[in-house]
Structures are given as C-alpha cells and as structure tokens.
Amino acid sequence: MNQKSTIIVDHRENQVLVNDKQKNQAIACDTHSVSGVVSQRACVYCGARVVLNPITDAAHIVHGPIGCASYTWDIRGSLSSDSELFRTSFSTDLREHDIIFGGEKKLIAAIDEIVIREKPKAVFIYSTCVVGVIGDDVKAIAKKAEIKHGIRVIPVHSSGFSGSKKDGYKAACHAILDLMGPEKAEVKTPHSLNFLGDFNLAAEAWIIRDYLETIGLELKTVITGDATIESLRAAKSATLNVVQCAGSMTYLAKQMKMNYDIPFENIRFFGIKDTIRSLRKIVFSIGTEEHLKRFETLVAQKEAYYQPMVEAYKRKLIGKKVALYVGGGFKAISLIEQFSDLGIQTVLVGTQTGSKEEYEQFRKLTGEGTVILDDTNPTELEHFIKEAGAHILVGGVKERPLAYKLGVSFIDHNHERKHPLCGFEGALNFAMEVDATVNSPVWDIVKTFKTHNETKTKQANKVKPFDVIDLTIEGGVL
C-alpha cells in the first residue's frame, strides 16, 4: 500500500489493515466516523429504526423532520404473516416553527390520532437529531400517552449525533427490554427458542422456522422479523436464544440472560455449512435424541438435493475475486466461507459495525494481502477494489453505484433484497446469483467499451500541439 498516505485520511490509518500472517495485527473499530469523511456508516436513528421497524402490529412514529422518516421507510424488506401496520411510516414532520417553539404539541396530537385511527398494539417514538437539540420531553409525553390510551408507548433514544448505527442497535434493544418488562417468566417452555437478529427479509425467518418445526423445536419469536407485541412479551418463556446478527442483538441476548435466565448461542444460517453447524448447535443445546434423529434426517435430505446444484455453479466460478463491504461482521464471516466454497477468493472485506473479535476472524479466514477495512468511505473502497482486481462487490444500497461506476458485478446482500439467501435454499439462490452477475455477457461489452475508450485516450495523448505558423506575407499580414 505505497499510496496509503494519499488515499487514506491520516486519522483512519489504524482502521485499514493489509493481512500479514507473520505479524500480530489489530484494527481499530467501535469508533466514531472521522469528521469530514463521507462514511458508509449510518446514524443512531437508522440503527434503531431498522431493528424495531419489523415489529408488525406497532405504530412507529418518527419525531423529527420528514426526511428522517422517508430515509428509513420500508428500509428492510421484512414480510409479515399478520398485521401490515409497520409498513406505514408516521412522522411529526417538524419544521422551522417547531424548532423554535418546540414539537411536543405535534407529538401529542400525532399519538392521539394514530391510536384512534390505526389501533396499534403499541407505539414506538424515535427521537431524531432535531429533537435532541431542542429538548422535547419525549419520555414524559410517552408516559402520559400510556395512561390515556392504555397501551405501551415507548420512547427510543436515537438522536443521530449521539453515536453511530451500533448505538442505535443498543437503543432499540433497550426499547425491546422495556416492552418485555422486568419480570421473569413463571414457566419456561421446554425445547423452545427465540431467534435474535433476523428481520425476515424475503421470508428467511419462515425458512428457519420450518427447519426448526421439522426437527420438533418451538420457535417462540423472531426478534424482530415478523414479530408482534404479544410474541415479544412471550419471548421470556423460551429456554434458549440464538443470535445471528451479533452487532444488533448481542447486547439484548446478554441482557435477557441476566434478567430472564435465558442462555444464548451465536449462529449463522448463511451457507450450507453454517446452516448445518447452527442447527446442530441448537439441537445439542435444547433437544433430545429424537430431535437429533430428525435433524440428521433433515440435513441428509436437504444436502442430497441442494449440494450437487451448488457444486455445478462452483465449476463456473473458480478463480474469481470478491470484495465485501457489509453492515455486520457475522454476515462477512459467512460470506467469506460461502465464497471460498464456490472457489472465489476474498480480496477485500470490511464492515460498518464489526467487533475486534470479528476482524480477527477475518484475518484467519482470508489470505495474505487481503485488505480489511472498518467504517470505510467510497474513495478507499474504489482504490482497493481496483488495486485488488475484484470481479464482484457485495454490499448494500450505498455501494451499488460504486460497482456500476467501476464496471464490477454487484450482489445485494443488504436488507433491500427480495430473495432469500439463508439456509439450504438460500445457498443455491446465492450461487445462482453470483453466477448470473459475474458471468453475464454484459461484461464482455463493458470490457470492449473500456478498451476502446482507453485506445482513444492514448491516441489523443499522442497528438502534438499545433506548431506556431508564420502567416506573414509580402506586403502585410494575412
């Protein structure tokens, strides 16, 4: 990285690492974004909203300017088996007048109107940056609204300037704990669990629920994909929590262990290997011999059907290179392993909210020279994608335009996608998508076009400037 000093802002040098197995390396993370640098990381409010918004029968009120509500409206492609109330985005639409005189009256009126018209099971109120500045007493308003309407009205302390997206996850966890209440469950349900850190994108939570029910285990609730207020309150009676999105839900799992005596395990359902490992871990934690037999039967059937099809795609993908930039470390670890199983080398990996333990795992899973980034920006991403010669970029909505600009194939592994990528079915969908994008005929056209432009540029650079010509003639000047 000879160009490091010109590409990377000085204050970010410790957040960029090139994997060297001979060195004891560490990367800085869990820090605020560098001021003045266009970070790919989102704000506190965004982190809280994307976690809580899939609670289907609650009203979600954004107390702030309308732009905040529009930014996160339907930001997760979560599906619901019941209420669709969560798809409506409510906002107090604070304006200049409200900034001067306060927005409390607007918030009170909004709660009254929504409760009467929509009849939600609960209300979440998200404080945005503006509310943090002007000092509206959202907590007091929520408490009065609870007494008036007889339902839970829960403030979410998510002013955007008070941290990063990861702090928003924590604010969301506090709101969920507030909803659950301090009391422990009187009776625990045997062989039952909660699935933390899944948001039912493209029905993924339903796929996992089907696996668990086939094995004979009871899934109490998913936190928060397709969750309801009632199911979240019942979550305290489970005997196990499993955590997929570690960045957003590890804090909640630890609090539930301390408050409700529910142990937790970290799992990942992305890729065939991780799916089998995760199901086995769950069965060994809360299952019986009968559950183990059902698990082995399920895995044998699914592997026999899906593995040959995945292997067929692998033969067309060996030798390609991929750059990953995703939200959490759990997803990046699964993706590194999935791409490796398809014969694809990871040459760049980064996250918005990864932990030190996850970055250390990246180092172990990737080869020498792999670039590892924390909370990167478009300039760094573009530079290292070019330098590493990646054929594929995996990311979300903010990374898609960069891939198109660079002429690199793109895979959306974020919450806007509409197709499932978890479990056995998801592993096949993933292999199909990778093949469809990286082996598309369009890249031959792009390559030809780029070569043509490069040739024209070289020819233009060879043209010499016009010589100075003496235009004088006898008797005067022409």
Side-chain angles (χ1 to χ4, degrees):
M1 294 200 323
N2 297 326
Q3 300 179 24
K4 180 175 178 179
S5 59
T6 60
I7 296 298
I8 301 169
V9 177
D10 290 343
H11 291 87
R12 279 197 41 78
E13 288 191 2
N14 58 357
Q15 290 175 273
V16 179
L17 180 151
V18 177
N19 198 358
D20 186 341
K21 303 289 188 180
Q22 306 305 315
K23 294 181 180 178
N24 183 21
Q25 296 173 304
I27 191 169
C29 57
D30 290 332
T31 60
H32 287 188
S33 299
V34 176
S35 299
V37 176
V38 181
S39 170
Q40 298 293 90
R41 182 186 284 168
C43 68
V44 178
Y45 156 71
C46 178
R49 181 76 187 272
V50 297
V51 168
L52 293 173
N53 201 70
I55 301 174
T56 61
D57 55 358
H60 301 267
I61 302 176
V62 181
H63 188 36
I66 194 66
C68 294
S70 63
Y71 169 59
T72 55
W73 176 75
D74 204 25
I75 195 169
R76 288 205 186 279
S78 307
L79 298 182
S80 171
S81 57
D82 190 6
S83 174
E84 294 289 330
L85 178 59
F86 74 113
R87 297 204 182 283
T88 303
S89 189
F90 301 102
S91 172
T92 51
D93 186 20
L94 297 183
R95 304 193 179 189
E96 289 87 346
H97 180 275
D98 308 306
I99 307 307
I100 298 169
F101 296 103
E104 292 185 356
K105 289 182 179 179
K106 263 194 170 182
L107 178 58
I108 293 168
I111 295 170
D112 291 345
E113 180 183 349
I114 291 165
V115 171
I116 293 169
R117 193 179 70 189
E118 303 292 344
K119 297 179 173 54
K121 300 296 183 183
V123 175
F124 291 98
I125 304 170
Y126 302 83
S127 297
T128 58
C129 292
V130 166
V131 174
V133 171
I134 65 178
D136 284 353
D137 194 346
V138 176
K139 187 176 180 180
I141 292 170
K143 187 175 289 186
K144 290 179 181 178
E146 281 192 346
I147 297 170
K148 181 177 180 180
H149 297 291
I151 62 171
R152 291 304 317 274
V153 180
I154 301 171
V156 184
H157 304 290
S158 53
S159 298
F161 56 75
S162 59
S164 68
K165 186 177 183 180
K166 202 166 185 178
D167 297 291
Y169 293 157
K170 193 171 182 179
C173 291
H174 279 295
I176 293 170
L177 289 165
D178 189 356
L179 175 66
M180 291 179 177
E183 305 84 7
K184 296 180 181 179
E186 294 181 3
V187 180
K188 292 292 183 80
T189 305
H191 317 302
S192 66
L193 67 153
N194 300 312
F195 186 12
L196 279 60
D198 188 272
F199 305 97
N200 202 29
L201 311 181
E204 289 182 337
W206 297 341
I207 291 172
I208 303 306
R209 183 184 290 275
D210 183 62
Y211 294 166
L212 296 170
E213 289 179 352
T214 300
I215 294 170
L217 302 174
E218 180 183 349
L219 181 57
K220 284 283 185 183
T221 191
V222 180
I223 304 178
T224 56
D226 195 26
T228 63
I229 298 301
E230 184 180 354
S231 71
L232 289 171
R233 285 173 172 154
K236 296 186 289 186
S237 62
T239 53
L240 177 70
N241 282 333
V242 293
V243 180
Q244 178 157 268
C245 182
S248 65
M249 286 290 153
T250 298
Y251 179 78
L252 180 62
K254 289 179 178 179
Q255 291 298 307
M256 291 181 73
K257 182 179 180 181
M258 184 171 63
N259 296 344
Y260 313 130
D261 297 328
I262 304 176
F264 71 93
E265 294 281 359
N266 289 303
I267 50 85
R268 295 190 298 269
F269 285 112
F270 293 111
I272 290 177
K273 287 182 180 178
D274 271 343
T275 298
I276 294 172
R277 280 196 292 257
S278 297
L279 289 173
R280 182 181 289 114
K281 186 182 286 189
I282 292 169
V283 171
F284 283 172
S285 295
I286 61 172
T288 64
E289 287 293 329
E290 179 60 29
H291 293 123
L292 182 58
K293 289 177 183 177
R294 291 186 182 186
F295 156 74
E296 290 172 346
T297 301
L298 172 70
V299 168
Q301 291 173 347
K302 295 288 187 180
E303 263 197 308
Y305 182 78
Y306 287 103
Q307 191 66 53
M309 290 188 281
V310 172
E311 288 295 323
Y313 283 104
K314 177 179 179 178
R315 290 191 285 272
K316 299 193 288 180
L317 298 170
I318 292 174
K320 300 295 184 182
K321 298 177 181 178
V322 64
L324 312 173
Y325 189 74
V326 292
F330 86 99
K331 187 186 295 181
I333 292 168
S334 285
L335 283 169
I336 293 169
E337 293 184 336
Q338 272 190 283
F339 277 113
S340 178
D341 290 343
L342 291 173
I344 298 174
Q345 178 189 359
T346 299
V347 292
L348 180 152
V349 57
T351 76
Q352 294 178 15
T353 60
S355 65
K356 287 186 177 181
E357 294 77 15
E358 288 166 336
Y359 282 116
E360 180 57 30
Q361 191 72 3
F362 297 168
R363 287 192 61 235
K364 293 177 181 177
L365 291 172
T366 58
E368 292 275 348
T370 300
V371 179
I372 301 174
L373 305 170
D374 176 72
D375 183 29
T376 191
N377 56 70
T379 302
E380 290 175 3
L381 263 180
E382 179 177 350
H383 170 73
F384 291 119
I385 288 169
K386 286 180 178 178
E387 188 174 73
H391 303 97
I392 311 164
L393 172 61
V394 180
V397 66
K398 296 192 292 295
E399 290 74 45
R400 186 192 299 270
L402 182 60
Y404 293 162
K405 172 188 173 184
L406 297 176
V408 173
S409 57
F410 179 77
I411 292 176
D412 183 356
H413 210 292
N414 211 16
H415 38 237
E416 295 86 10
R417 58 187 167 83
K418 305 302 180 185
H419 54 284
L421 295 178
C422 81
F424 298 94
E425 295 89 338
L428 177 58
N429 288 342
F430 181 74
M432 291 170 63
E433 183 179 7
V434 175
D435 173 61
T437 185
V438 79
N439 290 323
S440 170
V442 73
W443 303 120
D444 292 331
I445 300 171
V446 171
K447 186 177 180 181
T448 302
F449 183 75
K450 288 176 71 176
T451 303
H452 176 68
N453 278 353
E454 287 169 1
T455 302
K456 286 181 66 177
T457 302
K458 288 178 182 178
Q459 290 173 347
N461 290 337
K462 288 180 181 179
V463 176
K464 295 180 179 179
F466 290 110
D467 293 327
V468 176
I469 301 174
D470 184 1
L471 296 178
T472 59
I473 59 173
E474 288 183 14
V477 179
L478 181 64

